[in-house]
Amino acid sequence: MRTRRAALGTIAGAVSLALTLSACGETSESGSGSTDGTIGIAMPTRASERWLTDGKSVVKDLETKGYKTKLVYGDDDPKAQVAQVGDLIEQGVDALIIAAIDNKSLNGVLQKAADADIPVISYDRLILGSANVDYYVSFDNEQVGRQQARFIIEKLGLEDGKGPFNIELFAGSPDDNNTRYFYDGSMHLLQPYLDSKQLVVRSGETSLDKVTTLRWDGATAQKRMSRILSKSYNGKTVDAILSPYDGISLGVLAAVKEYGYGPDGKDLPIVTGQDAELASVKSIIAGEQSQTVYKDLRELATVAANMADDLLKGRTPRINNRRGYKNGVKDVPAYLLQPASVDKSNYSYVLAGYYTPEQLKQ
C-alpha cells in the first residue's frame, strides 16, 4: 500500500511532500466530533492584528470542511516555533499550514514531517532551503511593493518631472523571504527616480541590508527613523517614506511627529504601508498615514484550506504560479492572490465588508 506521501507525489507531479510549522504560546484546538482529520496551523506572532485574523480565518474554513485544527502562535521566537511544529508532528496531525518566523529555521523539523508523510503548505512566507515544502499560498508580493512605489510616484508628481524630493526607505524583517519581494517591487519603480536625483535618500541607506526592520517591529523602525532625522535632516524635510508594513508605518510616523511634523508644523511625509490594519486605516482617514496595501486575509485562508483539503483527499491543488517561487532547493508551486492599494479616497469601498463603519469611527 502506498503511503500518503507517495500518492501525493504522484498527484503533484513529483512534488515532494513535507511540512513546516512553528509556534509559541498557547495551542488552540477546535473541531467537531466527526472529522476528516486534524490540521496543524502555525502562525508567527500574536503581536500583529493581521496574524490573529489569519489564524481565525484558516481555522474557520477548515472546520467548515469538517477538519479539527490545532492553532499555535510562535510569538516571534523561531526556536519555540520549531519545537511546537515538532509537537504537532508528534501529535499526528494530517497536514501542516505554516507561516514561518525565520524562513530557514524549520528545515530539520520539516524532515520529520516528511518522514511522517505529513504534507506542508507554506503560508504567506515562503520557507527556504528545504525540499519538504509542498505548496505555497500568498499574495503577489512584488505587486505589493509596486503599489506602494506607484502611490509615492503619483503623489509627488515624479512622472511630471517634479522634484527633487527627499525619501527614506524601510524594508521588512531580514529573515522573511517576502521582504525582498516587497523591496524589489518598490525599487523597480523608484530606482529610475533615484538615479535621476528626483528622489534623494539623504541618509544614504538604500541597500536592502541597511533598511530592513527585524521582526517588522514598529518600535525598531521608530528608533531608526529618529536617528535618520537627527543625523541627516537638520534644516531639511523628508517628503516620503517607503514603508512595507502598517506597524512600521505607525512607528515612523511617531518619529516624524516628535521632530515637528504634523498639523502645527511641517507637512507630514507620504507614508505607505501594508495589511490595512485597523489602526492604520484610521490613521489614513485622519490624514496621517497616506496609503496601505489591502490583502484580503479571508481569501488567503480559503485558498490554504482548499489546498489542504485537496491534498488530503487525493486531488491536485489549484495553483497559478508553478516556477516563480524558488526556495533554494526547489520550485515551490504556488497560488498567488492580488492585493489592492488603499488610501483616503477609496477605503470606504475597497474595505467594504472587511471593517464595519463603527470600527472605522475615530
Side-chain angles (χ1 to χ4, degrees):
M1 179 178 176
R2 293 190 304 169
T3 64
R4 176 194 294 135
R5 181 159 297 279
L8 288 173
T10 300
I11 292 169
V15 176
S16 64
L17 294 178
L19 175 53
T20 61
L21 183 50
S22 88
C24 168
E26 298 179 0
T27 299
S28 175
E29 298 186 28
S30 55
S32 58
S34 176
T35 70
D36 290 323
T38 301
I39 296 177
I41 306 158
M43 293 289 156
T45 183
R46 290 175 289 189
S48 169
E49 173 190 321
R50 74 141 293 182
W51 291 112
L52 296 174
T53 300
D54 279 289
K56 292 175 184 177
S57 298
V58 174
V59 166
K60 180 181 177 181
D61 283 351
L62 287 170
E63 289 181 352
T64 298
K65 294 178 179 299
Y67 292 95
K68 286 184 178 180
T69 59
K70 293 179 182 289
L71 171 64
V72 292
Y73 279 90
D75 292 341
D76 288 320
D77 184 338
K79 290 182 179 179
Q81 189 178 53
V82 170
Q84 288 200 333
V85 170
D87 288 343
L88 288 169
I89 294 168
E90 290 294 325
Q91 293 169 31
V93 297
D94 297 286
L96 287 168
I97 297 172
I98 302 171
I101 297 170
D102 180 335
N103 57 28
K104 294 183 179 179
S105 68
L106 294 161
N107 295 358
V109 76
L110 288 184
Q111 184 58 54
K112 293 180 180 179
D115 294 342
D117 293 331
I118 300 172
V120 175
I121 297 169
S122 188
Y123 185 93
D124 196 57
R125 298 173 172 181
L126 182 62
I127 298 165
L128 302 182
S130 174
N132 299 313
V133 180
D134 301 298
Y135 287 92
Y136 176 49
V137 295
S138 188
F139 287 82
D140 185 336
N141 293 317
E142 284 200 5
Q143 185 64 23
V144 171
R146 286 173 183 251
Q147 289 182 351
Q148 293 163 345
R150 173 55 58 189
F151 185 85
I152 291 172
I153 290 166
E154 291 179 352
K155 289 300 178 182
L156 292 179
L158 297 178
E159 290 180 327
D160 298 326
K162 295 181 180 179
F165 297 102
N166 295 320
I167 187 172
E168 293 298 329
L169 310 175
F170 283 75
S173 191
D175 53 9
D176 184 342
N177 190 60
N178 286 349
T179 291
R180 178 169 292 280
Y181 284 101
F182 298 144
Y183 183 75
D184 287 350
S186 295
M187 296 309 290
H188 179 79
L189 297 183
L190 294 179
Q191 191 63 52
Y193 298 105
L194 293 169
D195 294 341
S196 70
K197 308 300 184 184
Q198 279 181 264
L199 289 177
V200 178
V201 181
R202 294 190 61 80
S203 69
E205 297 174 1
T206 58
S207 62
L208 183 57
D209 64 323
K210 298 293 184 183
V211 302
T212 53
T213 310
L214 185 62
R215 304 284 180 263
W216 304 84
D217 181 59
T220 299
Q222 181 177 350
K223 183 177 179 180
R224 177 173 171 249
M225 189 72 234
S226 294
R227 174 180 60 78
I228 289 172
L229 290 168
S230 65
K231 182 180 179 181
S232 304
Y233 283 87
N234 291 321
K236 302 294 183 180
T237 299
V238 60
D239 301 298
I241 300 170
L242 174 70
S243 168
Y245 159 61
D246 288 345
I248 291 174
S249 309
L250 296 182
V252 299
L253 278 167
V256 298
K257 288 178 185 178
E258 290 178 353
Y259 278 79
Y261 292 78
D264 299 322
K266 291 178 283 189
D267 289 342
L268 286 168
I270 296 166
V271 179
T272 61
Q274 178 183 183
D275 284 343
E277 293 190 347
L278 183 58
S280 280
V281 177
K282 287 185 173 183
S283 179
I284 289 170
I285 296 170
E288 296 188 344
Q289 185 172 328
S290 310
Q291 179 258 13
T292 188
V293 177
Y294 170 56
K295 303 186 302 187
D296 193 333
L297 305 178
R298 298 166 300 181
E299 292 184 10
L300 186 63
T302 296
V303 171
N306 288 342
M307 191 170 279
D309 186 46
D310 286 339
L311 284 169
L312 295 181
K313 291 182 177 174
R315 300 187 295 258
T316 302
R318 181 184 177 192
I319 61 172
N320 58 13
N321 188 303
R322 184 170 294 279
R323 299 189 182 278
Y325 283 81
K326 306 176 188 298
N327 78 346
V329 176
K330 63 186 289 188
D331 297 328
V332 182
Y335 191 95
L336 305 180
L337 294 159
Q338 292 302 310
S341 182
V342 173
D343 58 40
K344 195 170 184 178
S345 72
N346 68 359
Y347 77 89
S348 60
Y349 61 86
V350 175
L351 300 178
Y354 194 73
Y355 292 122
T356 66
E358 290 73 22
Q359 287 177 298
L360 296 176
K361 287 181 178 178
Q362 299 296 310

